[in-house]
Amino acid sequence: MSNGPQLTLNDLIREGGFDSPQHPAIFHSFIAEEVTTSSRDHPMTRKPIGYAICFFSFSTWEGKSLFLEDLYVRPQFRKQKVGKKLFQEVVQFARSTNCARLDLHVLEWNTPARDFYRNFGGVDLTETEKWNLIRFDEKQIFVHKLDKHMVFPHCGLSCADLDEN
C-alpha cells in the first residue's frame, strides 16, 4: 500500500475543475460538513467531516459507469450516518447521469467498509467472479517501450506516429 495521498490541494482544485471554467473537471466530489448555527457574537462555521470522489468510466458490457474512488468520514463522525448519506448522494448522482453501474475498490482488511457496501447490496467481484485488480504506476507507464511497427488499422494510426515523450 502507498504512503497515503500524494496530491496537493492545488491538484484537487485543478482536476476538480474548480480553478477555471476552461479546465473541465475529471472527477466529481461530494462534501459532508458540520455546520454550526450563527448568533450575533459567533458567525456560522462550516467544517468538512467527510467526502466522496467519483468519476465516469465505461464498461464494454454495460456502458457508462461511475467509479467511486474514495469515500471518507473523519473517525469522530463515523456511526452517525454521514457515510450513508454521502454514499446515497453518489448513488443518486449515478442514477441521474444514467450510469449502468457503480464500481469501487475496498481493501481486504477494511471489514467495516466491505460490510457497509454489502449492506447496500454491493457484490464483491473478487469472491463471485475472481477478478484481480492490476495497476501500472507512473514509472511503469513511461518505461514501457512502444512497438514502432505495430499498426492500428481501424484508426489509421501506427506507433511510429506516436510522440515518444
Side-chain angles (χ1 to χ4, degrees):
M1 183 154 164
S2 70
N3 294 326
Q6 305 297 311
L7 297 175
T8 67
L9 179 58
N10 286 338
D11 292 332
L12 291 171
I13 290 169
R14 181 185 62 255
E15 303 300 350
F18 300 112
D19 60 347
S20 76
Q22 291 79 26
H23 193 264
I26 62 170
F27 69 85
H28 301 275
S29 58
F30 301 86
I31 308 294
E33 297 177 310
E34 179 183 54
V35 179
T36 60
T37 57
S38 61
S39 68
R40 202 164 95 162
D41 298 328
H42 301 288
M44 179 180 77
T45 61
R46 298 166 64 172
K47 179 172 85 172
I49 60 171
Y51 64 86
I53 293 177
C54 56
F55 56 88
F56 292 115
S57 59
F58 189 81
S59 162
T60 54
W61 290 43
E62 298 180 55
K64 184 179 177 182
S65 303
L66 191 66
F67 189 86
L68 176 58
E69 172 65 24
D70 209 359
L71 190 151
Y72 176 79
V73 176
R74 290 179 188 246
Q76 65 268 35
F77 294 97
R78 293 177 187 167
K79 305 289 186 198
Q80 298 178 35
K81 300 189 179 183
V82 175
K84 180 179 180 179
K85 179 63 177 158
L86 281 167
F87 185 68
Q88 288 174 332
E89 289 293 323
V90 171
V91 169
Q92 179 56 37
F93 181 68
R95 288 178 183 164
S96 70
T97 54
N98 299 312
C99 291
R101 69 185 198 200
L102 172 63
D103 296 309
L104 55 104
H105 300 144
V106 178
L107 291 167
E108 185 175 332
W109 59 260
N110 194 344
T111 304
R114 292 170 65 195
D115 292 344
F116 176 84
Y117 295 116
R118 273 196 189 104
N119 287 336
F120 281 100
V123 177
D124 186 339
L125 296 180
T126 305
E127 294 172 359
T128 62
E129 297 183 25
K130 305 300 183 215
W131 279 92
N132 290 287
L133 175 64
I134 309 296
R135 175 177 294 146
F136 292 88
D137 66 17
E138 185 178 35
K139 179 181 176 187
Q140 293 148 339
I141 291 170
F142 286 102
V143 300
H144 182 75
K145 300 289 184 200
L146 299 177
D147 183 349
K148 295 258 185 233
H149 305 291
M150 187 178 289
V151 177
F152 301 93
H154 298 290
C155 64
L157 180 69
S158 73
C159 284
D161 298 324
L162 300 175
D163 184 14
E164 288 190 348
N165 294 327

